[in-house]
Amino acid sequence: MVALSVSLKKSVTLFHALSDETRLALLEQLIEGEQCVCELTDAMKATQSRLSFHLKVLKDAGFIRDRREGRWMYYSIDPDAVEELETVVNTLKLVAKSAVSANRCC
Amino acid sequence: MVALSVSLKKSVTLFHALSDETRLALLEQLIEGEQCVCELTDAMKATQSRLSFHLKVLKDAGFIRDRREGRWMYYSIDPDAVEELETVVNTLKLVAKSAVSANRCC
DNA sequence: TTGACTAATCAAGTTTTGTTGATATATACA
DNA sequence: TGTATATATCAACAAAACTTGATTAGTCAA
């Protein structure tokens, strides 16, 4: 069987991190550049603990990095995870193209 | 603000469909080509109703198509949704690359 | 018709995710 | 020190997703 380039579990983690509107909005917001939590809560009109939760999911998946500076925590997009995601999707794409021949069964 | 190429909600649907191990395994299985549910349940050692559930999620997101032939339902990968996914990921990638300049805040 | 077979759907229960408000931790500054 | 500020974490609850077993719907063949 052809396999996805990255392990299933890792792929699930990547996709799960992106399967939430708040988290995608966070990434969109971070396109503007590195920002601290206070700016993010401001921009997104979300409570601090809610964002903290979602930031953790994105960070655990590798999509963002954090950096402390004094009392502030700065978050930014980490291109590596996006790269990894791209790899998975590219495999999926190749696969989709080749998966046209029908097998009868039953 | 820069925006993702596809609406947030649509992106969430796409990513959510891929954020489950069973569903990714289903797609991997479908790489082999069009298959009926009975072959899929066989190959994946999963119950019929469970697969039916996951097939529906994948179908609703657009990743697979179905086709009835007699009593059998044949499923196959639909390259269009994968294409759409690729678009989203490409945007994310471009964005990740450009999102390096830091903004101070607070 | 009826019976057998394939797959979808449904209802009930379980598990996972997300939200909220409160508390803890870390840093800075007076 | 003590106090204020920024953020993480936790516990309790709510909501969404998944699983299971049973039922239903569609198709075929006798």
Side-chain angles (χ1 to χ4, degrees):
Chain A
M1 184 202 286
V2 188
L4 291 179
S5 39
V6 181
S7 84
L8 278 199
K9 278 185 206 300
K10 175 64 184 176
S11 302
V12 167
T13 305
L14 291 175
F15 288 127
H16 168 255
L18 300 176
S19 70
D20 177 276
E21 218 171 326
T22 306
R23 290 195 289 270
L24 287 185
L26 264 174
L27 288 178
E28 265 194 340
Q29 180 62 33
L30 284 175
I31 285 168
E32 307 287 321
E34 189 187 52
Q35 286 165 69
C36 71
V37 179
C38 56
E39 193 169 45
L40 292 170
T41 50
D42 234 47
M44 306 194 42
K45 292 166 186 16
T47 63
Q48 181 265 315
S49 84
R50 192 160 82 94
L51 278 206
S52 219
F53 170 80
H54 290 294
L55 286 167
K56 185 165 169 24
V57 175
L58 286 171
K59 188 183 149 199
D60 289 348
F63 285 108
I64 58 177
R65 292 182 284 233
D66 58 0
R67 178 177 69 82
R68 178 176 283 281
E69 191 174 313
R71 304 177 228 188
W72 296 275
M73 210 55 146
Y74 287 90
Y75 282 91
S76 57
I77 294 182
D78 184 338
D80 291 352
V82 180
E83 206 78 34
E84 196 165 23
L85 181 71
E86 199 199 6
T87 309
V88 177
V89 172
N90 278 343
T91 311
L92 211 57
K93 192 192 166 194
L94 283 175
V95 143
K97 281 189 174 162
S98 68
V100 282
S101 64
N103 289 337
R104 282 303 120 84
C105 76
C106 309
Chain B
M1 186 202 288
V2 187
L4 291 179
S5 38
V6 181
S7 83
L8 277 200
K9 278 184 207 301
K10 174 65 183 175
S11 302
V12 167
T13 303
L14 292 175
F15 288 128
H16 168 255
L18 300 176
S19 70
D20 177 276
E21 216 171 327
T22 304
R23 290 195 288 270
L24 288 185
L26 264 174
L27 287 178
E28 266 195 338
Q29 181 62 32
L30 285 174
I31 287 169
E32 309 286 321
E34 190 187 51
Q35 287 165 68
C36 73
V37 178
C38 56
E39 194 170 46
L40 292 170
T41 49
D42 234 46
M44 304 196 42
K45 292 167 188 12
T47 63
Q48 182 265 316
S49 84
R50 193 160 81 92
L51 278 206
S52 220
F53 170 79
H54 289 295
L55 285 166
K56 185 165 169 27
V57 175
L58 285 171
K59 188 183 149 200
D60 288 350
F63 285 108
I64 58 177
R65 290 182 286 232
D66 57 1
R67 177 176 72 80
R68 179 177 282 281
E69 190 174 313
R71 305 178 226 186
W72 296 277
M73 210 55 147
Y74 287 91
Y75 282 91
S76 58
I77 295 182
D78 185 338
D80 290 352
V82 181
E83 204 78 35
E84 196 165 23
L85 181 70
E86 199 199 6
T87 309
V88 177
V89 172
N90 278 342
T91 312
L92 211 56
K93 192 193 166 192
L94 284 175
V95 142
K97 281 188 174 162
S98 70
V100 281
S101 63
N103 289 337
R104 281 305 119 82
C105 74
C106 309

